Amino acid sequence: MPLTTTTIGAYPKPDFVPVVDWFVKDLMETAGPTKAYETSLDQMGESAEEVFVRAARDVIKDQIACGIDIPTDGEVRRENYIHYHCRHLEGFDFEELTLKSLRNDAYSVELPRVVGPIKARAPFLPHDWRAAQGTTDNPVKITLPGPMTITDTTANHYYPDERSQGRDLAAALNKEVLALAEAGCRYIQIDEPIFARKPEAALEFGMENLERCWHGVPDSVIKTVHMCCGYPNKMDDLDYPKADQQAYLDLARAVDQSVIDAVSIEDAHRHNDLRLLELFENTTIIFGLIAIAKSRLETVEEVRTRILEALEHIPAERLIAAPDCGLGFMDREMAMAKLKVLGEAAKSI
């Protein structure tokens, strides 16, 4: 049986979508996309929904053409995979931003502030999922940022500590996840790359809050968490201080003993010791086989060889082929070229 394939989240936005995202480095460092988001929506006016549905249709069609079984909507509505969600929660201020150092001082950026108790508003992701799912017969995966990652990528001016902020975030996220499940979305992914940056905090309270996000979710939903080691600042930035891969070893047992069905880890940018896979006795591994910040195109044989090496440590029914992370740094041509390599390699197994 060929391996199942999926993407992680972001995909290059079509040219007709005016929303600028954080993958534009010069703008990211000034919080430009976050500041300009409302202006982008105003620019589209009443045509915004039509634009977003057309964009989702195009990026999903691209992914499927490349051999992806479980595509995402490319996060085409989002200027940032975290802040888009925060805009739909009570307690956040997007008017007055705060400068904050992120990702172990990898960069600094102006961020929205937490100024009051965080609570869910009316669910919004079921609408996004239905709009995307209506364009394809393939199951569409929807992504949400996790409590620790939201906490790390916003400026807290209200909560006494990260644990309590994460608890309220988890309760709000849980309502969104339950609404997605009720709508019929089967593949739901919560992104927690900060777990790899802060494994001690992840074990102390991050996993507990992550599991709160899944409370009451039916078994029909594939409960997925994404834990990459961090986006670089730009393509081919090989000196970027990514998270220590030791974090995967530190977190593996806790993940495997949790309610999580599948965990996404990166392996293409830096290979792991594949004995790591043996620590996951129950959890499906979404295995990063395509580097998302290297312009070099992998070969089918390279990817196929790495898959076969992984299969020496984990059964094929618990391995899914994917890129390391989102594809937002690439243009459409490069993204499709890399996904075609992934798809062909996975189908050759």
Side-chain angles (χ1 to χ4, degrees):
M1 292 289 292
L3 292 187
T4 299
T5 55
T6 190
T7 45
I8 302 304
Y11 189 86
K13 283 183 171 57
D15 292 340
F16 57 81
V17 178
V19 174
V20 178
D21 57 41
W22 271 36
F23 293 103
V24 181
K25 178 178 180 293
D26 292 341
L27 291 177
M28 181 188 76
E29 292 181 343
T30 62
T34 296
K35 291 180 178 178
Y37 183 72
E38 296 294 340
T39 301
S40 299
L41 294 185
D42 290 342
Q43 180 181 340
M44 287 185 283
E46 294 182 358
S47 68
E49 183 62 20
E50 180 183 347
V51 169
F52 287 138
V53 172
R54 177 187 169 194
R57 179 184 295 111
D58 286 359
V59 303
I60 289 170
K61 182 179 178 181
D62 280 359
Q63 292 170 68
I64 293 172
C66 295
I68 299 302
D69 300 309
I70 306 169
T72 70
D73 67 353
E75 299 178 352
V76 293
R77 298 172 184 265
R78 311 183 190 191
E79 87 280 22
N80 171 278
Y81 75 103
I82 299 163
H83 295 167
Y84 175 75
H85 199 105
C86 295
R87 291 178 185 277
H88 295 83
L89 301 176
E90 292 184 11
F92 285 91
D93 172 24
F94 278 82
E95 296 299 320
E96 182 180 343
L97 305 182
T98 295
L99 184 68
K100 182 177 175 181
S101 177
L102 297 181
R103 308 303 187 259
N104 302 120
D105 298 324
Y107 62 94
S108 297
V109 66
E110 291 181 293
L111 301 173
R113 303 184 307 149
V114 178
V115 295
I118 296 170
K119 298 179 182 179
R121 293 175 178 157
F124 65 100
L125 286 178
H127 167 270
D128 292 4
W129 174 73
R130 289 190 186 99
Q133 188 62 72
T135 70
T136 180
D137 292 331
N138 287 54
V140 174
K141 178 170 64 178
I142 288 293
T143 65
L144 302 81
M148 263 187 66
T149 296
I150 293 175
T151 297
D152 193 76
T153 321
T154 53
N156 175 30
H157 291 261
Y158 179 78
Y159 285 93
D161 53 54
E162 294 184 358
R163 183 196 296 267
S164 58
Q165 181 175 349
R167 188 180 298 118
D168 280 1
L169 280 164
L173 291 166
N174 177 245
K175 292 184 178 180
E176 202 67 45
V177 170
L178 288 172
L180 277 167
E182 185 177 358
C185 181
R186 186 172 178 228
Y187 294 94
I188 302 175
Q189 175 183 295
I190 294 180
D191 296 335
E192 280 287 25
I194 296 304
F195 274 23
R197 293 282 187 186
K198 300 179 177 180
E200 296 85 2
L203 292 171
E204 182 182 352
F205 59 83
M207 281 297 304
E208 177 185 350
N209 283 335
L210 176 61
E211 290 204 289
R212 291 175 190 271
C213 298
W214 301 112
H215 182 69
V217 176
D219 292 340
S220 58
V221 170
I222 307 302
K223 299 177 285 295
T224 302
V225 61
H226 170 62
M227 299 191 308
C228 71
C229 292
Y231 279 118
N233 289 326
K234 58 185 178 181
M235 289 292 289
D236 299 315
D237 182 4
L238 302 184
D239 295 327
Y240 180 79
K242 292 174 76 70
D244 189 342
Q245 284 178 303
Q246 175 65 34
Y248 286 157
L249 295 168
D250 295 340
L251 295 166
R253 292 294 188 192
V255 170
D256 199 50
Q257 294 169 7
S258 75
V259 301
I260 294 165
D261 298 309
V263 60
S264 165
I265 62 174
E266 68 172 63
D267 185 75
H269 187 89
R270 299 174 302 181
H271 282 354
N272 296 282
D273 180 338
L274 290 178
R275 288 176 293 183
L276 164 69
L277 303 182
E278 298 173 13
L279 300 178
F280 297 96
E281 299 177 358
N282 307 298
T283 312
T284 293
I285 301 298
I286 300 174
F287 197 51
L289 292 156
I290 297 294
I292 54 82
K294 294 181 181 179
S295 56
R296 176 187 174 273
L297 179 63
E298 296 84 352
T299 69
V300 172
E301 188 56 33
E302 287 171 345
V303 175
R304 185 175 190 276
T305 296
R306 192 58 176 168
I307 292 173
L308 294 175
E309 291 170 349
L311 290 175
E312 295 177 6
H313 301 271
I314 189 171
E317 59 267 24
R318 287 200 293 113
L319 190 69
I320 294 176
D324 272 352
C325 197
L327 305 174
F329 277 125
M330 304 177 190
D331 59 23
R332 178 181 180 232
E333 181 180 5
M334 181 184 295
M336 290 192 72
K338 284 186 172 254
L339 289 182
K340 284 177 181 177
V341 167
L342 177 72
E344 185 174 342
K347 303 310 177 189
S348 72
I349 300 302

